[in-house]
Amino acid sequence: GRLEAAVAALLGDRFLADPREQLLRSVGLVYASSRSRAVRAFSKALASSARVDTAVTVQRMVFGNLNELSLSGVVITRNPITGDDELFGEFKRQAQGEEVVMGSAHSEPIAKIDPAIARELERCKRLLVDRFRQDLDLEFTVEDGQLYLLQARAAELGAFARLVADTDFLSRGLIDLAQYRERLVRLEMAHACVALPRADFRARRWNPPLATGVPINGGVVSGTLVLSEERLKEAEARRESVVYFARSTKPTDFAVMNGAHAIVTVNPGRTSHAAITAMSMNKPCVVGCGDLEIDEERRTVAFRGSDRAEAATLREGERVTVDGNTGAVYRGVAPISEFFLPLSAATAAADRA
């Protein structure tokens, strides 16, 4: 078809027919991606060298869309917002993992997964966390009822969750007091204070919000609504805080996500690219705001409204407030306060122990 013709024109006929050629070219594409604009922006944000060593893992392909006993998902071994020791994530039946990670599929919370698979995930979680002494982000596929772990990497937790996790590891004997102090110092260097999640956040309201979604990373930001990197740079030049709205995000959006002070997406996904990236950068984030529509041509965001939300259309450049603790998005500047814990207090307490 037309897709095969386009691939052949770009990569050659052999790529479609020769498995070895497919493998070698695919590996080459991974290495080429390490020199992309998004990777350069990511390296600059981390103040690290853009010359990083990249390894390519070649593994057997498994299919989460094989049949009704198949699915794909992503879980974090701890709640990245509250720090609770529970599986946090989602899955999609009869789907490949890319649909879940990119937030392009309406997924289900991990609590609804088959009990047998849940028990196996819990077993894998304990083995891996005890081995690596840190919380992990696990991508998995179930093919015809059989669980496969595709990838395990260090989890991106919010600052408060990281503090809770390290304290838990100390109490369980996974790390000693010296290692605990070292982790606290690193956390304090990255975040002078941590925002505290509170049980009464859900009851907190200022005016009816324009929209509500799933809160991913705590914090409150009032800023200029932007839909593109170009408008973000204009707002930055005026020294304004920025809230980036998108249907979903992908790795090539890193520059605009890094420049924004908060992120809002239409598509859902507690473990989507937007959610994980926001947590890694400790930015307030709300995903799954299904009641809004983004018109990139007119540069507007339409909020359809509901029983609890007003209907309105905002133009790019207007002010909005994002409450990452409740998942609410407000028009204008909302007078919402936060509660913080100075990390120096936790470090001082550990030094006295």
Side-chain angles (χ1 to χ4, degrees):
R2 286 183 295 176
L3 179 59
E4 288 189 0
V7 172
L10 183 64
L11 300 175
D13 292 332
R14 288 182 57 199
F15 182 80
L16 296 173
D18 187 340
R20 180 178 176 81
E21 181 73 12
Q22 290 179 17
L23 177 60
L24 293 177
R25 294 293 292 273
S26 296
V27 170
L29 290 171
V30 173
Y31 283 117
S33 71
S34 66
R35 300 186 294 273
S36 67
R37 179 172 176 269
V39 170
R40 292 198 301 272
F42 184 73
S43 299
K44 182 179 179 181
L46 296 180
S48 63
S49 171
R51 291 189 62 188
V52 293
D53 292 328
T54 299
V56 179
T57 300
V58 179
Q59 59 187 176
R60 171 189 166 188
M61 184 72 175
V62 288
F63 297 91
N65 56 0
L66 182 66
N67 55 33
E68 62 183 13
L69 298 178
S70 303
L71 55 89
S72 294
V74 180
V75 292
I76 301 173
T77 55
R78 181 181 299 271
N79 187 307
I81 305 167
T82 65
D84 292 340
D85 186 14
E86 62 186 8
L87 289 176
F88 179 96
E90 56 208 348
F91 68 98
K92 173 70 174 175
R93 302 180 193 277
Q94 293 185 257
Q96 290 293 76
E98 186 75 5
E99 299 177 56
V100 179
V101 173
M102 299 311 296
S104 58
H106 288 276
S107 50
E108 300 177 63
I110 200 66
K112 293 186 177 182
I113 204 167
D114 180 80
I117 300 299
R119 287 192 296 271
E120 187 65 11
L121 282 171
E122 283 285 354
R123 186 183 73 84
C124 293
K125 163 190 166 177
R126 289 299 171 195
L127 288 172
L128 291 169
V129 170
D130 289 354
R131 169 67 178 83
F132 293 105
R133 302 180 184 183
Q134 64 178 329
D135 283 293
L136 300 168
D137 174 336
L138 307 176
E139 292 187 23
F140 67 93
T141 289
V142 175
E143 182 186 78
D144 198 25
Q146 176 67 46
L147 173 66
Y148 296 88
L149 294 186
L150 309 181
Q151 176 174 271
R153 59 186 174 189
E156 299 292 352
L157 306 181
F160 179 79
R162 179 73 64 190
L163 177 62
V164 172
D166 289 339
T167 305
D168 181 35
F169 291 159
L170 176 65
S171 66
R172 289 166 54 188
L174 293 179
I175 59 175
D176 58 29
L177 188 56
Q179 291 170 315
Y180 179 65
R181 289 195 187 105
E182 183 182 337
R183 293 187 180 196
L184 279 184
V185 169
R186 289 203 303 266
L187 189 62
E188 185 182 0
M189 290 176 66
H191 314 285
C193 298
V194 294
L196 300 179
R198 287 165 54 101
D200 61 353
F201 274 152
R202 280 293 180 183
R204 180 175 69 182
R205 283 290 184 269
W206 174 54
N207 279 333
L210 292 170
T212 55
V214 178
I216 293 298
N217 202 40
V220 178
V221 170
S222 294
T224 302
L225 186 161
V226 303
L227 302 175
S228 66
E229 186 177 357
E230 179 185 1
R231 294 291 184 267
L232 178 139
K233 289 180 177 179
E234 292 174 2
E236 283 182 331
R238 298 190 297 267
R239 298 185 180 277
E240 298 173 352
S241 298
V242 171
V243 179
Y244 176 52
F245 280 70
R247 293 186 183 87
S248 62
T249 66
K250 51 190 180 300
T252 52
D253 297 324
F254 178 80
V256 65
M257 296 176 73
N258 184 51
H261 297 83
I263 299 162
V264 178
T265 69
V266 178
N267 291 345
R270 293 187 175 197
T271 52
S272 64
H273 176 266
I276 297 298
T277 304
M279 284 187 285
S280 71
M281 297 187 292
N282 202 34
K283 295 178 186 286
C285 179
V286 177
V287 302
C289 287
D291 287 335
L292 63 87
E293 293 180 359
I294 296 175
D295 189 329
E296 294 177 351
E297 188 172 322
R298 295 183 179 180
R299 317 306 297 173
T300 61
V301 178
F303 299 84
R304 290 194 290 268
S306 64
D307 294 339
R308 296 175 297 167
E310 62 171 306
T313 298
L314 271 61
R315 292 190 174 279
E316 193 172 27
E318 293 195 48
R319 301 284 285 181
V320 294
T321 296
V322 175
D323 186 350
N325 304 299
T326 65
V329 179
Y330 298 95
R331 185 174 202 163
V333 178
I336 298 175
S337 60
E338 289 232 76
F339 303 88
F340 293 95
L341 168 69
L343 278 169
S344 57
T347 305
D351 289 339
R352 292 193 298 268

